[in-house]
């Protein structure tokens, strides 16, 4: 797999869901936001030369003083031994990164409402779906207000949503969700297809997404939409205090 493309995907994914603040510690970006989202409350490597030693781990942990110190570890770097030595818990939250070229973007569905900003209806629907799926009405308004790259937001009635953002020619799909009582009816597929079509028109040449490794239903959906490239995985390591 092309390491250059893998790191372009990493950077695009970070830009598509930005944290409140991000500090650089050596070769690591330390994101701090509060709330439940681990990705915007964890340290991630900035490139293939990222390493961890005792001093760097201590500096990262100091930024998270009083809360969980969390490191996000892509398969692209080898730092688990250092985290073992520093007393971090075993790997958790395994996630896969899938991708596909955008040389043949799907035809958009006429029933999808597509906007270039998250309007009130999109935000309300995503919050409702978060509550129905995870039991928590997650707030997307704040992180999406921080977006500094082109993005589009897809919605079908109040039963399915998704959004996508483009950075460095990579379209990143995010927040794909369908209400449990409306699954297997093609709504998520239509939302994603419309966003892929939009992304091709916005200059993206490749599309990527990150999905929980044990979410077989979602992986099957994305495979059916052409996401046949399995780039890399990542997991989290955490230490309290």
């Amino acid at each position: 797999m092309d390491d250059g493309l893998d790191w372009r995907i990493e950077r695009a994914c970070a830009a598509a869901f930005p944290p409140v603040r991000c500090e650089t510690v050596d070769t690591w970006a330390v994101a701090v936001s509060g709330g439940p989202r681990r990705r915007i409350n964890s340290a991630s490597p900035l490139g293939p030369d990222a390493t961890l030693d005792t001093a760097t781990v201590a500096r990262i942990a100091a930024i998270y003083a009083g809360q969980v110190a969390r490191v996000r570890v892509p398969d692209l770097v080898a730092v688990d031994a250092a985290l073992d030595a520093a007393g971090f818990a075993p790997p958790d939250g395994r996630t896969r990164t899938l991708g596909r070229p955008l040389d043949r973007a799907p035809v958009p569905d006429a029933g999808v409402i597509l906007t270039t900003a998250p309007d009130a209806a999109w935000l309300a629907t995503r919050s409702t779906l978060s509550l129905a799926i995870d039991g928590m009405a997650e707030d997307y308004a704040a992180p999406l207000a921080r977006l500094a790259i082109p993005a589009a937001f897809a919605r079908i009635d109040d039963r399915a949503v998704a959004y996508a953002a483009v950075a460095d020619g990579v379209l990143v799909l995010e927040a794909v969700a369908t209400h449990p009582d409306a699954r297997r009816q093609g709504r998520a597929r239509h939302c994603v297809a419309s966003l892929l079509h939009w992304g091709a028109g916005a200059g993206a040449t490749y599309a990527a997404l990150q999905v929980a490794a044990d979410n077989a239903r979602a992986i099957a959906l994305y495979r059916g939409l052409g996401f046949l490239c399995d780039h890399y995985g990542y997991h989290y390591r955490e230490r309290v205090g």
Side-chain angles (χ1 to χ4, degrees):
M1 192 59 65
D2 180 358
D3 285 345
L5 177 56
D6 289 343
W7 286 104
R8 282 173 59 206
I9 292 171
E10 272 285 282
R11 291 190 293 270
C13 287
F17 200 72
V20 171
R21 64 184 176 93
C22 190
E23 300 186 27
T24 300
V25 175
D26 294 333
T27 51
W28 292 80
V30 185
V32 181
S33 301
R37 278 276 182 168
R38 293 199 284 187
R39 192 172 63 180
I40 53 175
N41 289 284
S42 60
S44 294
L46 289 169
D49 59 341
T51 59
L52 280 177
D53 56 23
T54 300
T56 303
V57 172
R59 290 172 62 193
I60 291 172
I63 293 172
Y64 294 116
Q67 56 186 304
V68 174
R70 183 179 295 113
V71 178
R72 179 178 161 277
V73 185
D75 298 340
L76 307 171
V77 297
V79 298
D80 278 306
L83 294 169
D84 290 340
F88 279 68
D92 182 45
R94 295 187 183 276
T95 300
R96 295 167 65 181
T97 303
L98 307 180
R100 57 155 289 176
L102 269 183
D103 50 347
R104 289 178 293 177
V107 176
D109 185 87
V112 177
I113 298 170
L114 201 66
T115 60
T116 54
D119 59 18
W122 192 95
L123 290 169
T125 300
R126 191 58 181 85
S127 182
T128 298
L129 296 182
S130 295
L131 185 62
I133 296 167
D134 299 319
M136 176 181 61
E138 188 174 356
D139 174 29
Y140 273 81
L144 293 180
R146 298 189 290 266
L147 268 176
I149 56 177
F153 299 80
R155 177 173 62 89
I156 297 181
D157 49 52
D158 61 350
R159 287 293 182 264
V161 297
Y163 81 88
V166 176
D168 194 17
V170 177
L171 176 81
V172 177
L173 284 160
E174 293 278 357
V176 181
T178 303
H179 196 282
D181 67 10
R183 287 174 177 162
R184 298 185 181 278
Q185 298 174 21
R187 285 179 170 84
R189 178 180 296 274
H190 291 315
C191 284
V192 171
S194 293
L195 290 170
L196 292 175
H197 186 271
W198 171 83
T205 58
Y206 202 81
L209 56 91
Q210 294 178 324
V211 58
D214 60 357
N215 191 343
R217 186 195 303 266
I219 291 171
L221 166 68
Y222 300 134
R223 293 294 193 205
L225 284 161
F227 287 84
L228 303 179
C229 299
D230 206 330
H231 283 268
Y232 59 91
Y234 69 81
H235 56 265
Y236 291 98
R237 302 291 302 272
E238 297 182 349
R239 188 180 73 187
V240 178

